[in-house]
Amino acid sequence: MARKFSPSQDACILIVSLAPFASDQRLAVEELLHDEIPETIGASLAFHHLGGTYLHDADPSPMQPANVAVLAELLDTLTNLKLVITFGVAAHLSTIDAYGMGWARVPFRPGQITALPDGLDLANFHASCGRHIETIAPLLTQTVPALTADRTS
């Protein structure tokens, strides 16, 4: 998936989860990201969920082709996308599938950042971190270099 990055635009961060975040959880994620990422970067956030109504009670089949196709379109159209944060294995696998890569090439590694071939970074968290947003702060500090890097592909 070819992607162009423009250093003059805000970095975009996509957050993918199995179920939608409640409004208070979204606000907590936004506040945490803005606390961990310097203001000079100007990161914008986009949220995408794969199905279900609550983080603990999600649709058991989120990786249906239609859901993956919507995510693939989103990955392709977000301007200056530099980081995808996934909550849970299903969100990770759906993102890899939507990205057009085989699952075996990019294993789920919670608490770690993986650089994809075109420079897009992927940060994985356990699904339960969505209910305990404060647990993601240590990894977010590691994402700052990914957000400031100027890459083109």
Side-chain angles (χ1 to χ4, degrees):
M1 180 173 290
R3 189 178 324 287
K4 298 275 186 217
F5 296 101
S6 169
S8 64
Q9 297 177 344
D10 289 352
C12 182
I13 300 169
L14 174 62
I15 298 173
V16 180
S17 60
L18 185 58
F21 278 83
S23 59
D24 61 327
Q25 291 169 317
R26 283 178 75 130
L27 183 59
V29 169
E30 290 170 356
E31 288 176 356
L32 185 59
L33 285 169
H34 290 293
D35 287 347
E36 296 296 327
I37 297 170
E39 288 182 27
T40 55
I41 294 174
S44 61
L45 299 175
F47 288 82
H48 179 76
H49 69 88
L50 299 166
T53 55
Y54 301 103
L55 284 173
H56 63 278
D57 183 31
D59 180 347
S61 56
M63 294 166 38
Q64 294 178 0
N67 292 344
V68 172
V70 169
L71 181 55
E73 184 176 335
L74 186 60
L75 287 169
D76 198 35
T77 59
L78 281 174
T79 304
N80 217 35
L81 180 63
K82 292 193 177 189
L83 174 67
V84 177
I85 298 173
T86 63
F87 285 96
V89 175
H92 168 79
L93 293 176
S94 293
T95 301
I96 296 303
D97 199 16
Y99 193 75
M101 295 184 72
W103 294 348
R105 289 190 61 199
V106 186
F108 180 69
R109 299 181 319 154
Q112 295 186 26
I113 298 173
T114 302
L116 298 179
D118 71 354
L120 179 67
D121 286 316
L122 180 65
N124 302 132
F125 295 101
H126 290 289
S128 62
C129 291
R131 291 187 298 272
H132 306 285
I133 298 303
E134 67 281 356
T135 62
I136 71 173
L139 185 61
L140 289 178
T141 59
Q142 295 175 39
T143 66
V144 172
L147 297 174
T148 58
D150 178 22
R151 300 182 188 100
T152 57
S153 60

